[in-house]
Amino acid sequence: MKKTLNFLSMILLAIVLLPSVARAQQQQQLPPMGIDSEVKIGKLPNGLTYYIRHNEYPKGQADFYIAQKVGSILEDDNQRGLAHFLEHMCFNGTTHFPGKNLINWLESVGVKFGYNLNAKTGVDMTLYNISNVPVTREGVQDSCLLILHDWANDLLLLPEEIDAERGVIHEEWRRSNVGSMRIYENLLPTIYPNSPYGYRLPIGTMEVVDNFKPQALRDYYEKWYRPDLQGIIVVGDIDVNRIEAKIKEMFSDIEMPENPAERVYFPVADNDGTIYAIGHDKEQTNNIVQLNFKTEALPDQIKPTMFSYVQDFVTTMISDMLNTRLTDISSKPNAPFTNAGVYYSDFFLAKTKDAFTLVTVANDAASLPSALAASYREVLRAARGGFTHTEFDRAKSEYLSQAEKAYNNAATRRNEQFALSYVSNFLDNDPIPSAEEEYQTIQMIANSVPLEQINMTLAQLITDNNRVLIALMGDTPDNVYPTEQQFAAAIQSVDAEEIEPYKEEVKTEPLVEKLYKAGKIKRESTDDQWGTTVWYLDNGATVIIKNTDFKKDEILFAAQSKKGTAKYGAAYANSLTFAPAALRSALGLGTYTSSDLEKYLAGKQAGVSPSLGLYTTSFSGHSTPKDLPTLMELIYMNFTAPNLDPEEYQSLQGQYVTMLQNQMSNPEVVFNEKLIASLYNSPRIQMLTPEIVNSANRQQILEVYKAMTSNAADFTFTFVGNVTPEQLRPLVEKYIASLPGNSKKAVTKIDTNYPQYLMIGGDQVNTYSMPMQTPQTYIYLTTFGDMDYTTKNAQLASYAGQIISNRLLNKIREEMGAVYSIGASGSMDRIGTQNAEIATQFPMKPEMKEEVLKEIRKIFEDMTNNVTQEEVDKVKEFMIKNYTEAKELNGPWLGAISGWLTNGVDTFHPAIEVSESITPADVMQYVTKLLAQRNYRVVVLDPAAE
């Protein structure tokens, strides 16, 4: 063990201290990690790389990716935006799929655009994916490979399609050009002096997007989309050898260009001292300062060795331990910063430089320097005085626990997990060992690297040079902002301090200090419909167990009652509006505060979250078989000893007030506030504001929470996953059957007779306006009403929403160019009236508002008399694929059982049969009935006239 320890210490020192050339020499002493034997990797003579793996999770499906070592960094100044534009054009006509045939064909086999079919452009890469493809038919597999081939080499790039897409991309720019994005774009040249990274955001410039000649895009395509920069990844329920043969057959004819341009990865220069990049914007909602300590990135030739895992372990330990300290400070009243945290990653846009980054959020712009000083002080406290052994043990335990869970579930990893790891291997040379080798490596490193080495690494990361400070602020009334000199003085003052080492108070008492007397299982039965065991406890509670083998290390939990908070009126409105945030972030148990609880759960993969609804109260949770006792402790304590520590609660209020007070300058936030006010007239349904948060009463929240959980007989507790009745029996008797409960007082029926919580009906339009830096119109449109909740109606709502989505996409985006993204959702609630809704929400080009609203109304109305079989069939393929996959996942089973418990309608077992029966007439009849109720509401936020 001593040899291993010295060896790993040497590796760690090399990572932190040695320049890249020395690292490369050091790497020669290390063997590379192995490559998982289950993946077949090859390279064609033209340079194209491929990865193929057979995997049956989910069964009958496969994922197809093409990764390009090409991004916006390769653009010339007069090409800014072409890499991203080219990505869009891959869906607008290829040799074998002209026009929209590519999207239409994929949707005909159950692959939905924007959901299973997508792409993204980065600074140094572009990635395309066709995911969750039903591949029972070999012809489907071949067609997906043909699409990848067309993306690689056969785009049509027709002038008319290019011109049509300009408007779409302009709207994408419009949607993203708010607040922080504008600040970053202005600051990038300062952050990356004399570097192309300062001018290469993928969205580009609208001057280029609006005016480039089609030939410029073709030239970029021919220059950079070439085999040596392309990787094909296919993972799924396929024959590996057959797919390999098809790739060789289809892709070998792609020619490498003569004298190809060199693919350069641009370095990021070191800098003396600190670079200061300070900006503000009217629509920036938070005041944030980032202090980056730049370090050398791990060279690609070293990544496949153990170096990667050592670096990940060390930086994860540092980040986890420091973040715990910073969270503890922010959870106290009058904390010097609202939030703070650290992470280690790429230096912002650049993959050629890493950075250790401290992020600090302050109450206002003026207090940013002092907030930075306070968070930086804690970083220096750790760098100078080190971490404690208890902190290290806790962080290491959590790291190993997560690794163990991942290893135990490795046999059921989904296609996407494998595919993305191969994408990273192709693009960045990240290691792809077998699950067993990876787990053994992680264990060896975690149990070998000493705390002293962690402490030394942090001390080496915190330097006086190579620092970059980035400040983003909202506009102030007096137009006065912290200066470079003020930030520099704040850092220098902390550097000069004598900082005492950290002293930690470790809580050692048990979470459950006392238990009520254990109860009994009064009666047991089986439910053949769900394949479950059902226990009826002597305290009136019901427990349902469904044992599955979908994942070795997963147990999911839910508890629900038919009692909600609807009866609490205006006097409780503000408290219950803030309650979700308080229960999510500040709920403690027994003598443990929320911060204490986080430390207690380190190394335990278990958690429970409560939800107080208007008509129901519920809990959700998870664990592994090993941590099942911890899950049961959490369930017990959530029912018997919830607490909201006064100091943590007060601190949380302060954090939310800080976050919310600047948000009303953000158009999207204002729109959501106007939307809720337009649709509802109830103090119980409102958006959080600083006034609501400040007036929310901690005791009221606890009062309601305890009232909702006072009687265990109200609840049914459901467990789904790798758990058996034999495992659960003693734990259920100890922790659930012992809960106070009275069957005679149990609530058995949901009471929805509260008209004050209904949406305001009728056909009407509510229009508002506000000043905007980048003018755009925000629209929410809904039609809603009452419908019988049946399995068929629930599906028809979704069918209608998906068909409308396709029509909106084709008309409003593709034909009119008025939006970047648009879609609709159809849904039904299991309880209450107004339980059916079809809605759409989107930002758009203001000049086209009236025209767009008119077209959308027409699209909705056309659904009453014009739905085609082709439209229904596309949705049907998608739905049946998802229903089939759901049968092999714990989450859908748990959701289905919980839904059935709510209103007695089983939407799970008959899902495929019902979906197969749906006709265009069914969809038309459903939408006709919904629109006939004349609740067609439109809410609009326009840019104010200058």
Side-chain angles (χ1 to χ4, degrees):
M1 179 59 71
K2 189 172 181 181
K3 266 185 162 181
T4 303
L5 179 59
N6 291 337
F7 183 54
L8 289 173
S9 298
M10 175 193 71
I11 296 172
L12 184 56
L13 282 170
I15 289 175
V16 178
L17 302 177
L18 297 180
S20 58
V21 173
R23 288 184 188 179
Q25 295 171 350
Q26 189 76 37
Q27 186 260 355
Q28 301 302 317
Q29 303 177 36
L30 286 172
M33 298 286 291
I35 294 176
D36 189 350
S37 61
E38 294 299 311
V39 57
K40 176 170 281 191
I41 305 175
K43 182 173 285 191
L44 301 182
N46 59 12
L48 182 138
T49 304
Y50 58 83
Y51 302 72
I52 313 168
R53 183 191 184 103
H54 179 81
N55 185 57
E56 296 184 5
Y57 298 93
K59 291 179 181 178
Q61 294 185 25
D63 287 5
F64 298 78
Y65 284 71
I66 180 169
Q68 315 263 2
K69 294 181 180 180
V70 178
S72 58
I73 199 67
L74 298 176
E75 298 165 347
D76 297 330
D77 285 342
N78 62 352
Q79 296 177 317
R80 292 174 63 186
L82 292 194
H84 173 249
F85 204 110
L86 189 58
E87 172 222 304
H88 277 240
M89 293 308 299
C90 284
F91 303 97
N92 288 283
T94 71
T95 296
H96 297 96
F97 297 90
K100 296 297 184 289
N101 286 353
L102 186 152
I103 295 173
N104 290 335
W105 180 81
L106 283 170
E107 291 193 337
S108 75
V109 297
V111 177
K112 186 175 291 294
F113 181 52
Y115 189 84
N116 308 127
L117 172 64
N118 221 324
K120 63 178 178 180
T121 303
V123 175
D124 276 302
M125 53 74 71
T126 309
L127 184 65
Y128 301 85
N129 68 285
I130 313 171
S131 302
N132 301 105
V133 183
V135 289
T136 303
R137 290 184 289 133
E138 290 183 349
V140 172
Q141 302 173 29
D142 297 346
S143 294
C144 287
L145 290 175
L146 185 59
I147 291 171
L148 299 188
H149 176 277
D150 277 11
W151 285 341
N153 194 58
D154 272 320
L155 295 187
L156 294 179
L157 300 178
L158 299 176
E160 60 270 24
E161 292 288 351
I162 290 173
D163 289 340
E165 199 66 20
R166 295 183 200 268
V168 172
I169 292 179
H170 208 115
E171 293 313 304
E172 182 178 0
W173 168 84
R174 188 195 303 273
R175 189 180 74 166
S176 63
N177 191 44
V178 294
S180 60
M181 181 57 70
R182 282 195 296 264
I183 299 176
Y184 275 127
E185 188 164 15
N186 290 332
L187 296 182
L188 280 176
T190 303
I191 297 169
Y192 296 106
N194 305 312
S195 168
Y197 284 110
Y199 302 92
R200 290 298 180 270
L201 285 174
I203 195 66
T205 71
M206 292 307 100
E207 181 181 2
V208 171
V209 167
D210 291 342
N211 299 297
F212 73 85
K213 303 297 184 186
Q215 188 58 45
L217 192 63
R218 295 191 192 100
D219 291 343
Y220 185 90
Y221 181 52
E222 295 298 332
K223 180 177 181 179
W224 293 117
Y225 275 48
R226 61 189 204 221
D228 64 318
L229 300 179
Q230 295 172 329
I232 301 296
I233 298 99
V234 182
V235 179
D237 199 356
I238 43 87
D239 180 330
V240 171
N241 292 330
R242 180 185 175 281
I243 293 295
E244 181 181 37
K246 279 293 179 182
I247 289 174
K248 290 179 178 179
E249 175 188 326
M250 287 187 182
F251 291 84
S252 293
D253 66 344
I254 300 177
E255 296 181 1
M256 268 291 291
E258 293 184 11
N259 303 315
E262 181 184 2
R263 174 46 167 115
V264 176
Y265 289 91
F266 296 90
V268 175
D270 292 337
N271 59 277
D272 294 331
T274 306
I275 292 173
Y276 293 88
I278 303 170
H280 60 90
D281 188 277
K282 181 179 181 180
E283 294 173 1
Q284 171 64 20
T285 57
N286 292 309
N287 296 288
I288 303 170
V289 59
Q290 305 171 12
L291 184 57
N292 302 273
F293 299 87
K294 295 191 299 190
T295 68
E296 292 301 313
L298 205 61
D300 280 359
Q301 66 266 31
I302 298 180
K303 287 181 180 178
T305 71
M306 197 183 295
F307 272 98
S308 290
Y309 289 94
V310 175
Q311 178 172 276
D312 180 73
F313 174 72
V314 173
T315 56
T316 299
M317 292 300 98
I318 291 171
S319 299
D320 284 358
M321 291 187 285
L322 255 176
N323 284 333
T324 298
R325 290 188 184 186
L326 293 168
T327 299
D328 284 347
I329 293 172
S330 66
S331 67
K332 304 298 182 186
N334 303 313
F337 44 78
T338 304
N339 278 301
V342 299
Y343 63 91
Y344 185 91
S345 186
D346 295 345
F347 175 50
F348 203 44
L349 299 181
K351 65 178 287 182
T352 56
K353 204 78 162 181
D354 286 349
F356 178 72
T357 301
L358 167 65
V359 181
T360 309
V361 182
N363 292 338
D364 50 52
S367 61
L368 265 182
S370 60
L372 172 63
S375 60
Y376 179 53
R377 183 177 295 111
E378 296 312 310
V379 173
L380 282 190
R381 191 188 310 279
R384 294 176 184 177
F387 296 104
T388 69
H389 283 283
T390 53
E391 289 178 294
F392 183 45
D393 289 344
R394 193 165 54 238
K396 182 167 65 175
S397 176
E398 177 64 21
Y399 188 84
L400 286 170
S401 178
Q402 291 182 12
E404 180 184 26
K405 182 178 180 180
Y407 173 68
N408 288 339
N409 287 329
T412 52
R413 285 175 67 184
R414 295 175 63 79
N415 294 335
E416 181 183 34
Q417 293 175 273
F418 285 116
L420 291 178
S421 70
Y422 303 150
V423 167
S424 295
N425 178 261
F426 174 71
L427 295 175
D428 300 319
N429 212 28
D430 288 342
I432 46 173
S434 66
E436 184 173 358
E437 182 185 4
E438 182 172 65
Y439 185 47
Q440 289 174 350
T441 300
I442 289 172
Q443 286 181 305
M444 181 179 70
I445 292 169
N447 291 316
S448 301
V449 176
L451 175 59
E452 292 74 19
Q453 201 73 65
I454 306 290
N455 290 334
M456 185 173 68
T457 302
L458 177 59
Q460 294 291 337
L461 286 172
I462 308 305
T463 60
D464 294 333
N465 295 317
N466 260 343
R467 298 195 297 203
V468 180
L469 183 145
I470 306 170
L472 298 85
M473 297 168 281
D475 282 358
T476 62
D478 57 7
N479 204 33
V480 175
Y481 306 94
T483 64
E484 174 182 325
Q485 291 73 23
Q486 288 174 305
F487 282 117
I491 294 171
Q492 291 164 6
S493 67
V494 178
D495 283 334
E497 291 179 8
E498 292 289 332
I499 304 174
E500 292 184 0
Y502 180 72
K503 296 177 182 178
E504 182 182 32
E505 296 181 5
V506 181
K507 199 170 182 66
T508 58
E509 59 262 37
L511 176 63
V512 181
E513 292 186 322
K514 66 174 184 177
L515 275 163
Y516 294 110
K517 183 180 178 182
K520 297 292 183 183
I521 297 170
K522 185 171 65 175
R523 182 166 61 89
E524 179 175 330
S525 67
T526 58
D527 186 332
D528 293 337
Q529 177 183 359
W530 296 100
T532 57
T533 298
V534 184
W535 291 334
Y536 302 92
L537 311 184
D538 58 5
N539 63 353
T542 303
V543 174
I544 298 174
I545 308 107
K546 178 159 183 70
N547 173 249
T548 72
D549 58 1
F550 304 142
K551 280 194 174 183
K552 182 178 179 181
D553 231 8
E554 181 177 85
I555 300 170
L556 301 183
F557 157 77
Q560 62 191 101
S561 78
K562 296 181 178 180
K563 180 166 67 175
T565 65
K567 68 178 182 180
Y568 293 91
Y572 287 80
N574 290 346
S575 297
L576 290 176
T577 301
F578 186 58
L583 296 177
R584 180 175 60 250
S585 301
L587 182 66
L589 300 175
T591 62
Y592 279 68
T593 66
S594 176
S595 296
D596 295 332
L597 199 59
E598 186 174 341
K599 295 172 185 175
Y600 176 80
L601 291 174
K604 304 178 179 74
Q605 299 303 304
V608 172
S609 300
S611 177
L612 304 181
L614 280 171
Y615 306 122
T616 62
T617 298
S618 61
F619 291 85
S620 60
H622 65 92
S623 79
T624 64
K626 184 177 75 173
D627 294 317
L628 184 57
T630 299
L631 173 64
M632 303 303 284
E633 283 187 338
L634 294 173
I635 294 170
Y636 179 84
M637 294 299 286
N638 266 274
F639 274 79
T640 60
N643 77 60
L644 290 171
D645 178 75
E647 289 192 351
E648 286 192 342
Y649 180 81
Q650 183 182 343
S651 174
L652 186 69
Q653 283 180 304
Q655 292 173 22
Y656 266 83
V657 168
T658 297
M659 178 182 69
L660 295 169
Q661 63 189 2
N662 297 322
Q663 290 201 349
M664 294 311 287
S665 63
N666 184 295
E668 190 169 354
V669 175
V670 172
F671 176 60
N672 287 331
E673 186 266 337
K674 300 298 185 185
L675 174 62
I676 294 172
S678 299
L679 295 180
Y680 296 95
N681 184 23
S682 168
R684 284 292 311 277
I685 304 176
Q686 53 188 331
M687 199 172 81
L688 273 179
T689 65
E691 294 73 25
I692 290 174
V693 173
N694 278 325
S695 63
N697 184 282
R698 167 181 160 271
Q699 291 293 349
Q700 279 190 336
I701 295 173
L702 283 174
E703 174 196 340
V704 175
Y705 181 99
K706 291 176 180 179
M708 294 300 102
T709 57
S710 61
N711 187 0
D714 291 331
F715 285 85
T716 297
F717 300 79
T718 306
F719 298 84
V720 176
N722 187 16
V723 60
T724 65
E726 292 72 28
Q727 288 172 284
L728 265 179
R729 182 179 293 273
L731 294 170
V732 164
E733 291 179 336
K734 181 178 182 180
Y735 290 107
I736 296 180
S738 63
L739 296 174
N742 186 332
S743 298
K744 294 180 180 179
K745 296 183 178 180
V747 176
T748 59
K749 183 179 179 181
I750 296 174
D751 181 7
T752 60
N753 188 27
Y754 294 93
Q756 62 267 39
Y757 301 132
L758 297 179
M759 282 195 287
I760 300 169
D763 286 4
Q764 58 178 298
V765 178
N766 300 93
T767 302
Y768 308 91
S769 66
M770 70 172 290
M772 299 182 195
Q773 301 297 101
T774 303
Q776 56 187 321
T777 290
Y778 295 83
I779 291 177
Y780 180 89
L781 190 153
T782 180
T783 182
F784 58 87
D786 305 334
M787 302 286 274
D788 292 337
Y789 190 92
T790 64
T791 302
K792 188 169 186 176
N793 275 349
Q795 289 199 21
L796 285 171
S798 182
Y799 268 74
Q802 292 181 62
I803 293 171
I804 291 174
S805 285
N806 283 335
R807 293 185 179 187
L808 291 173
L809 193 67
N810 291 332
K811 183 67 179 182
I812 311 301
R813 170 179 157 138
E814 300 297 338
E815 184 177 328
M816 299 174 66
V819 299
Y820 162 62
S821 178
I822 189 170
S825 61
S827 61
M828 287 196 65
D829 289 335
R830 287 178 176 267
I831 55 178
T833 55
Q834 292 187 345
N835 64 330
E837 180 179 25
I838 302 173
T840 178
Q841 181 173 343
F842 54 92
M844 62 161 294
K845 183 184 297 186
E847 298 84 354
M848 300 184 70
K849 178 186 71 174
E850 296 302 330
E851 186 180 354
V852 164
L853 288 177
K854 181 179 178 181
E855 289 295 338
I856 294 177
R857 184 71 187 237
K858 185 174 184 299
I859 286 171
F860 271 73
E861 290 175 349
D862 282 351
M863 290 287 294
T864 64
N865 57 23
N866 179 25
V867 173
T868 69
Q869 188 65 51
E870 181 183 6
E871 288 178 307
V872 170
D873 287 345
K874 285 182 180 179
V875 177
K876 189 173 296 186
E877 290 288 339
F878 176 75
M879 298 283 274
I880 291 175
K881 176 190 72 175
N882 289 345
Y883 291 140
T884 302
E885 181 182 344
K887 298 292 178 68
E888 304 296 325
L889 298 171
N890 290 323
W893 275 98
L894 180 63
I897 293 172
S898 297
W900 170 70
L901 289 170
T902 300
N903 70 345
V905 178
D906 177 6
T907 59
F908 194 70
H909 290 98
I912 294 175
E913 180 183 353
V914 168
S915 200
E916 287 174 337
S917 73
I918 287 176
T919 66
D922 293 328
V923 178
M924 289 185 286
Q925 184 180 14
Y926 180 90
V927 177
T928 299
K929 187 173 181 180
L930 189 60
L931 286 175
Q933 298 180 53
R934 301 187 62 79
N935 296 313
Y936 190 87
R937 298 293 313 278
V938 181
V939 183
V940 179
L941 178 68
D942 281 326
E946 294 184 7

